[in-house]
Amino acid sequence: MTCTETSALANWGNYPKTRATLSYPETPGEARQAVLQHARIIARGNGKCYGDAALGATVLSTLRLNRLLNWDAANGIVHAEAGVLLADLLDRIVPDGWFFEVTPGIKNITVGGAIASDVHGKNHPAKGCFSQHLLDFDLLRADGETVACSRTENPGLFWQTCGGMGWTGVILSARFRLMRISSVYMRQTAVRAPRLDALFEAFDAHRHLPYAAGWVDCLSAGDAFGRGVVYFAEHDTTPSPLQYPHKDTRNVPFYAPAALLNALTIRAHNHMLFSAAKTGEQRVDLDRYFYPLDRIRNWNRLYGRRGFIQYQFCLPEAASPDGIRKVLETIRKSRDLPFLSVLKRHGERPVEAIHSFPERGYSLALDFPRTKTVFGLVNQLDELVWQLGGKIYLTKDACSAARMGRVDPAAFGEPKFHSLLKERLLQDK
Ligand SMILES: Cc1cc2nc3c(=O)[nH]c(=O)nc-3n(C[C@H](O)[C@H](O)[C@H](O)COP(=O)(O)OP(=O)(O)OC[C@H]3O[C@@H](n4cnc5c(N)ncnc54)[C@H](O)[C@@H]3O)c2cc1C
């Protein structure tokens, strides 16, 4: 039976916070009732987007629509309800020798969330976004009808929904393909780059390796400006026992004081990340390579109760080295310093994947504590990224200008599916 509650709600960045009435349907029929009952509603998976996407006055949580409908271990095809977590699938698929073709840097997200943000991983040039491996899904529409969507059946709605941030309806279930693995290990090569141009050279020199993600020291100056470490990897092909290597997690039990992350502590943290990085080749397990942040539960509390903003932008390839230099220079002149950063290389966006975030080039994700001044910095970064022909990732967005996502919510024609993100973008147009 559908359970309903009213409570305070936020996504991973803990900003913004809102009060919402949440319903938790357990069956597609109950989801239909919830959609018909409310003039406005938005689907929510596990709330691991950062900003205001999965928030609204009325929210439909899919967390109880979480049945694995079929697991075809011979062909590596998952059929799951939208609320199934990728983390839960790992225990089922890895022992049978399969892994996700595309996974974001977090495993506690739902299948519905992976589709609605069209998530990407560290292997975008090789494997694209989640939609590339998606076979079909059932979509609950505003009139209560369920529509089957695939590349051949309702293809327009299929592509509108991938990366469509929940604005086309509620994804009820989906089928997607996996990739074969014979080991739970990755062969990782870490490269320490003493300057920004060396970081880009490292990405270029290791194009043959399918996975890559880098960290940039956004506070380094002089000859070390833009230094960082890139972690490249490929799947190890030497067979190993196929148990998913769950790691012990640590917890951040309380919200940290706002002053914890300051120039001094961030500098010390960056120094440690750069000098302690173990360079060269080593064998690391899937959990350590793909989901390092999942090992600290509630790490978002390190930013304190005021929360944080993640600013993830993507620039065209030719504009990337100089553009990212300009972004780092802008940040260095501001009072707002990012604690975490992730640099990724991206391949071509398929033309039909109209709402996918990554474009051929590079993206940089930056986590800033939410201060009074950070919104001014975001305005400046928006202007710069826009001038350089870039865009931002809507699933991380909490305060960018409406144009920056390069997606128009008004074009979705479904007023019922309404989030805070949609409202903000429509108001800002
Ligand atoms: C530590 C961390 C690392 C991350 N790394 C990456 C990364 O490497 N690559 C990447 O692409 N993303 C990354 N993300 C972002 C995350 O993968 C996406 O925001 C994802 O959509 C979250 O899934 P969720 O189930 O929590 O969905 P939510 O956060 O609840 O919702 C996200 C969006 O999907 C919509 N939605 C959810 N379920 C449905 C449904 N059933 N039907 C219709 N719409 C729905 C919501 O309305 C919302 O617009 C990361 C997030 C974190 C916290």
Side-chain angles (χ1 to χ4, degrees), residues 383-404:
E383 196 49 46
L384 187 52
V385 168
W386 185 258
Q387 297 300 334
L388 292 161
K391 69 201 283 201
I392 59 130
Y393 193 7
L394 281 181
T395 206
K396 310 285 180 76
D397 182 26
C399 56
S400 273
R403 66 179 193 274
M404 296 305 299

Side-chain angles (χ1 to χ4, degrees), residues 328-387:
L328 295 182
E329 281 165 354
T330 305
I331 292 169
R332 278 186 56 79
K333 285 185 208 142
S334 83
R335 295 169 51 182
D336 291 285
L337 305 173
F339 182 56
L340 285 180
S341 69
V342 181
L343 181 65
K344 289 188 202 136
R345 192 164 65 86
H346 298 293
E348 215 66 60
R349 176 177 57 79
V351 276
E352 63 276 20
I354 41 177
H355 300 317
S356 298
F357 160 70
E359 305 275 348
R360 188 180 189 82
Y362 286 84
S363 74
L364 182 62
L366 303 161
D367 286 356
F368 295 97
R370 183 174 71 88
T371 60
K372 283 191 184 134
T373 48
V374 79
F375 301 106
L377 174 62
V378 167
N379 285 343
Q380 275 181 280
L381 297 180
D382 278 354
E383 196 49 46
L384 187 52
V385 168
W386 185 258
Q387 297 300 334

Side-chain angles (χ1 to χ4, degrees), residues 11-13 41-55 59-63 65 81-86 102-122 129-130 138-140 161 163-173 290-291 293-294 299-300 308 310 312 340 342 344 346 357-358 367 393-396 417-419 421:
N11 294 323
W12 187 246
I41 196 160
I42 189 71
R44 177 181 178 86
N46 207 23
K48 293 298 188 278
C49 59
Y50 283 71
D52 51 6
L55 301 178
V59 173
L60 186 157
S61 168
T62 62
L63 289 179
L65 285 170
E81 286 189 329
V84 167
L85 296 175
L86 299 190
V102 166
T103 177
I106 172 168
K107 54 186 184 291
N108 285 312
I109 70 156
T110 63
V111 169
I115 297 169
S117 299
D118 202 8
V119 296
H120 62 272
K122 297 171 178 169
C129 285
F130 197 83
D138 278 351
L139 185 70
L140 176 60
T161 301
M165 306 311 294
W167 299 335
T168 57
V170 181
I171 301 156
L172 293 174
S173 58
F290 288 103
Y291 311 116
L293 288 171
D294 283 350
W299 61 256
N300 54 348
F308 68 107
Q310 179 164 113
Q312 183 171 8
L340 285 180
V342 181
K344 289 188 202 136
H346 298 293
F357 160 70
D367 286 356
Y393 193 7
L394 281 181
T395 206
K396 310 285 180 76
F417 300 109
H418 195 86
S419 57
L421 169 69

Side-chain angles (χ1 to χ4, degrees), residues 17 28 46 49 80 108 113-114 116 126 148 175 187 216-217 220 236 286 323 373 409-410:
K17 290 191 181 92
N46 207 23
C49 59
N108 285 312
R175 289 192 317 137
R187 278 207 301 272
V216 190
D217 181 350
S220 53
D236 195 353
L286 294 172
T373 48

Side-chain angles (χ1 to χ4, degrees), residues 227-349:
R227 69 180 181 174
V229 183
V230 194
Y231 296 90
F232 301 97
E234 59 189 332
H235 287 275
D236 195 353
T237 48
T238 311
S240 78
L242 290 168
Q243 283 309 312
Y244 185 74
H246 286 288
K247 287 282 169 301
D248 287 346
T249 53
R250 298 198 182 155
N251 189 22
V252 179
F254 308 110
Y255 284 98
L260 177 73
L261 301 181
N262 55 50
L264 210 67
T265 53
I266 298 177
R267 244 178 252 288
H269 171 254
N270 287 2
H271 177 74
M272 194 269 296
L273 284 185
F274 187 75
S275 44
K278 205 168 165 193
T279 53
E281 268 193 46
Q282 58 172 319
R283 217 165 69 120
V284 299
D285 65 44
L286 294 172
D287 208 59
R288 184 161 157 203
Y289 186 72
F290 288 103
Y291 311 116
L293 288 171
D294 283 350
R295 293 166 74 178
I296 306 171
R297 268 186 294 136
N298 300 313
W299 61 256
N300 54 348
R301 291 179 180 163
L302 288 173
Y303 292 87
R305 288 189 185 279
R306 66 190 175 180
F308 68 107
I309 307 282
Q310 179 164 113
Y311 190 80
Q312 183 171 8
F313 65 95
C314 177
L315 294 179
E317 192 159 30
S320 290
D322 194 44
I324 287 174
R325 173 178 298 280
K326 286 181 177 147
V327 165
L328 295 182
E329 281 165 354
T330 305
I331 292 169
R332 278 186 56 79
K333 285 185 208 142
S334 83
R335 295 169 51 182
D336 291 285
L337 305 173
F339 182 56
L340 285 180
S341 69
V342 181
L343 181 65
K344 289 188 202 136
R345 192 164 65 86
H346 298 293
E348 215 66 60
R349 176 177 57 79

